[in-house]
């Protein structure tokens, strides 16, 4: 049987130490990874994010945000469906890659940011990206892309 360097399952199960989850409203969050290109793989984005400042830390939680445009009458339904998987509606932000005010052709389209705190890896990022594409498509909308935020290192100013 393999030995764990982290104290084993018994210690993790009965440990009294608790780690505070990342607060998505923190003011020191910076974008550590982003992708607004459907053709770019999450693994490539995360590989680049691991070596580009501000550096993404795979061991720490991120606020994963998906940027969608949906018909106004579909926003509440989409948010309710996403909430079943731990997503909440985040603050609307301009997506610099598309310019201020850019909206894909979605009748009566409004921006929607769905976010949740999680550990991020290429597999789960791809799965969530696909899930958001299906959510948007079934409601006549579109996905612009995703980004991930983590607290800035002490010597870095927030975005």
């Amino acid at each position: 049987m393999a030995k764990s360097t982290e104290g084993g399952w018994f210690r993790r199960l009965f440990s009294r130490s608790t780690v505070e989850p990342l607060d998505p409203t923190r003011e020191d969050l910076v974008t550590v990874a982003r992708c607004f290109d459907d053709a770019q793989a999450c693994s490539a984005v995360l590989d680049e994010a691991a070596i580009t400042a501000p550096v993404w830390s795979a061991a720490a939680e991120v606020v994963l945000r998906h940027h969608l445009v949906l018909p106004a009458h579909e926003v509440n339904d989409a948010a309710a469906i996403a909430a079943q998987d731990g997503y909440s509606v985040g603050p609307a932000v301009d997506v610099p890659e598309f310019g201020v005010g850019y909206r894909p052709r979605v009748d009566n389209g409004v921006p929607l940011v769905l976010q949740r705190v999680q550990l991020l890896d290429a597999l789960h990022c791809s799965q969530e990206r696909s899930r958001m594409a299906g959510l948007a498509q079934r409601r006549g909308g579109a996905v612009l892309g995703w980004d991930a935020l983590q607290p800035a290192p002490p010597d870095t100013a927030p975005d």
Side-chain angles (χ1 to χ4, degrees):
M1 184 150 97
K3 290 187 177 184
S4 171
T5 59
E6 299 172 3
W9 66 269
F10 187 80
R11 177 173 278 163
R12 288 190 307 272
L13 183 62
F14 293 102
S15 173
R16 292 178 189 239
S17 67
T18 58
V19 176
E20 288 292 318
L22 180 60
D23 178 1
T25 64
R26 286 177 60 160
E27 296 199 13
D28 66 337
L29 294 177
V30 295
T31 303
V32 294
R34 69 171 8 136
C35 182
F36 291 86
D37 180 355
D38 287 340
Q40 194 169 19
C42 291
S43 58
V45 173
L46 294 177
D47 285 347
E48 182 69 22
I51 59 172
T52 305
V55 174
W56 162 63
S57 170
E61 290 181 323
V62 302
V63 177
L64 179 61
R65 301 188 307 188
H66 298 276
H67 303 265
L68 295 79
V69 176
L70 296 175
H73 68 279
E74 294 287 355
V75 169
N76 290 337
D77 181 54
I81 296 294
Q84 295 174 11
D85 291 319
Y87 283 94
S88 63
V89 174
V93 296
D94 284 324
V95 179
E97 286 79 0
F98 296 109
V100 176
Y102 169 81
R103 301 287 179 265
R105 291 185 181 184
V106 174
D107 290 338
N108 198 22
V110 296
L112 174 64
V113 175
L114 294 173
Q115 66 183 25
R116 77 174 178 189
V117 174
Q118 68 178 70
L119 287 174
L120 186 62
D121 61 56
L123 173 65
H124 292 102
C125 184
S126 293
Q127 288 173 336
E128 293 307 310
R129 184 179 186 180
S130 178
R131 180 178 291 163
M132 291 298 154
L135 179 75
Q137 184 180 27
R138 286 188 301 274
R139 284 157 184 79
V143 174
L144 299 176
W146 62 270
D147 57 13
L149 293 84
Q150 286 182 320
D155 60 340
T156 306
D159 272 347

